[in-house]
Every structure is written in C-alpha cells, then in structure tokens.
Amino acid sequence: MVASQSKLAAAFSGKTVLVTGHTGFKGSWLSAWLRRLGANVVGLSIDIPTEPSHFKLLNIAGEIEDIRHDVRDADAVGAAMARVQPDFVFHLAAQPLVRRAYNQPLETFSVNAIGTAVVLDSLRTLKKPCAAVIITSDKCYDNVEWEWGYRETDLLGGKDPYSGSKGAAELVIRSYHASYFSAADHPVRLAVGRAGNVVGGGDWAEDRLVPDCVRAWANGAVVDIRSPNATRPWQHVLEPLSGYLWLAALLSQDRALNGEAFNFGPAATDNYTVEDVITAMAQTWSSGKAQFVVREQTGRSEAGLLKLNCDKAFARLAWRPTLTFVETARMTSEWYDAFYANAGGTAVRTHTTAQIATYETLAKGRGLAWAN
C-alpha cells in the first residue's frame, strides 16, 4: 500500500481507525482513503445500503475488519469499541435521506440521535487516547432561508424530521462533551464535522440528485428535476473527507479543539443551484445523452436556500476546498462514465484510487495544509 507523503499519512499510518457507516457512500470513500494512508481500518455498519454499492465494488472488505451491527445496539457497539481500542473514530452511520425521513421519522430520529448517543457512550468508557470526529450535517441548522452562510454558533434545529434528527444529534453530542469529554483527564477528544451537500462517484442512494441523473442517463432516459433553483453547498465527497481527516489529525495533537464544531463546504462565492449542477455534469457526460426536464414539485417541500460559512475551518484548521465547481462536476461525471462504460468491476477500484490520488496532487499543488 503506497500512502501519500503528507501530514495525513504521518497522522494515520499504522493507526487503528474505527469508521461507523463504512459501507455507505461517504464511509466507503473514507475507508479507501484511510487504507491509502496506511491506516488499519475497522468498519461498523448494519448493512450495505444500496445496490450497486461503492463499498462492494471497491472490494476492500478483505483489507479491513468488517463488523455488521446496528449502531443503536449499545452492547455490540460497546464491545466492539472495547476490543478494537481505536486511535481514531469517525462516526458517519446515519439515516441520510431527507425524503425517507418524512416517511420514517421515528427510524430517522432513532438512528441519527440514539445511534450517536450509543457511539459516544462507548467512547465514554475508553481508557486510551482517541480522537473522535462525529459527523452530522449542514441540515442541523434551523434554516430560515437567509442569504448568509450558517456559522457553527447559529441556532440548531429543523422543521422536517431529517433536520430535526441532526439537530437532536448535536444536542446529544453537546451534552456528552460537557458531561464527560471536557474533563482534562479524559483520554478521548471529541469534535464535530458538518458538511454541505456531497456529490461524487459511487452514490446510488434513492431520491438524490446525482444518482437519479446518472441512472436515467445511463438508460437513455430523461431526468425529472424538482426545485431547479434550490441552492446547496455542493462539494465533491473528498472535500469534507479531507476536512474530517485533518480535523482528527489536529485534534489528536491539540486539546484546544476538543468540543469544537466545524463546517466543511465550498467557498461562500460558490453559490450554485440544482440546475447548475445538472448542466455542468451533462457537459462532461459521455455515456449516452444527458437530458433533463423541470417538473412542478409535488409532495413534501425542501429548503430552497442553504449556505454554510466555513470561516472557522479556514482560520482554525487552515482548511479550504481544493476543487472548483467545474472540477467537482467533471470528476463526478467521469467516475460514473467509467463505471457504466466498464459495467462496474475493476473500474470502480481503479477510478476511485485514481481520483483520490488526483485530489491529493491538486491539494498539494494548491498549498493545502494537510497535503504538504
């Protein structure tokens, strides 16, 4: 395994890293990147959430310890934490879909809030140094549709079940930190990562913009688009992952970061709509026609305007995005093009690894702190 020669490689090489939700979209990319960095990865998830599956197609199950438990199972999670004795923990396990949350609100609150509490409770009894990054979402903020990006100190909440569940998870994190992890002698340090809307290859979740597009385009179908003017903090999956990794690396060295939350998203000037994303992807799509049509929105509504203020991550972590919007769209299209052109298979592993390497190279050339 050839790891990049960066500060991330120095932080994670040879370390034991527990990733909850490792079989999901972001979790599988994170697991692949951690392996590249030389980490010993232990994944904990209840199942493989989609078919196709980025995790399955990566074929890395034999390179990591692949544990299958419900994140809400306190006995199982606690036993795994005690046995693994991780140096780092990334908690990504969640019910991540806004529209599914409307249909399954209790399940969503249970997984996202109680599941987070279970992970924190297992960390509470850990007796060794460990840096844990708990990932929530930009949807944790009480969205009042204003033009300014939400800061880490803004009001948490949510008018829909998904947003409410993420706000609830944040309250769980805050109470555990104040009650246990803020103690000067506690070996576990805790931080929170909040990310904007993530795109990239390997996402096949239901009722999500990019997967809906590529599934339709690969079959020669026209995509129906709702809310074309809705804006989101769009970013490639590797952007927030670089933030989570760098936050964990710094947290392990700097107690001043204990208990802090950080937004990871695009620059404030990168304000793009749903239609912008689809148009940019369509321009680089080569596996057939890329067509879409705007339909009148029906059913439950979603927020129209959502922005993040990432100044805290810029100032405290020296983190900033690596990719431009055009590069984000191109990398996403190219990944799916490679998948559909080769019917999956080895193309997934090859292209995923190549995109991580390209991202590292771009970050190093653009002077990102973690890449040098």
Side-chain angles (χ1 to χ4, degrees), residues 72-154:
R72 294 167 292 181
D73 186 334
D75 290 339
V77 174
M81 190 74 70
R83 178 179 59 79
V84 170
Q85 294 288 297
D87 300 298
F88 295 93
V89 171
F90 295 93
H91 173 51
L92 288 85
Q95 194 297 93
L97 302 175
V98 173
R99 294 207 162 213
R100 182 184 294 178
Y102 274 116
N103 297 322
Q104 301 176 7
L106 289 179
E107 180 80 0
T108 300
F109 275 100
S110 177
V111 173
N112 293 351
I114 301 303
T116 297
V118 167
V119 171
L120 292 172
D121 206 58
S122 67
L123 282 165
R124 178 176 63 87
T125 59
L126 202 61
K127 303 299 184 185
K128 68 179 295 293
C130 177
V133 176
I134 312 300
I135 287 82
T136 60
S137 169
D138 61 335
K139 309 302 187 300
C140 71
Y141 294 108
D142 184 20
N143 190 354
V144 294
E145 302 271 346
W146 60 24
E147 295 84 359
W148 303 279
Y150 290 94
R151 299 170 299 175
E152 290 83 352
T153 53
D154 282 328

Side-chain angles (χ1 to χ4, degrees), residues 211-241:
D212 285 350
C213 287
V214 297
R215 276 191 291 256
W217 293 346
N219 291 311
V222 178
V223 183
D224 289 346
I225 299 303
R226 65 176 188 267
S227 304
N229 298 316
T231 64
R232 296 288 185 271
W234 308 103
Q235 59 185 328
H236 191 274
V237 62
L238 292 174
E239 301 276 43
L241 295 186

Side-chain angles (χ1 to χ4, degrees), residues 349-368:
R349 177 77 175 245
T350 300
H351 212 65
T352 296
T353 302
Q355 288 201 337
I356 294 173
T358 297
Y359 183 78
E360 291 174 330
T361 300
L362 288 172
K364 184 176 179 65
R366 294 170 184 178
L368 275 293

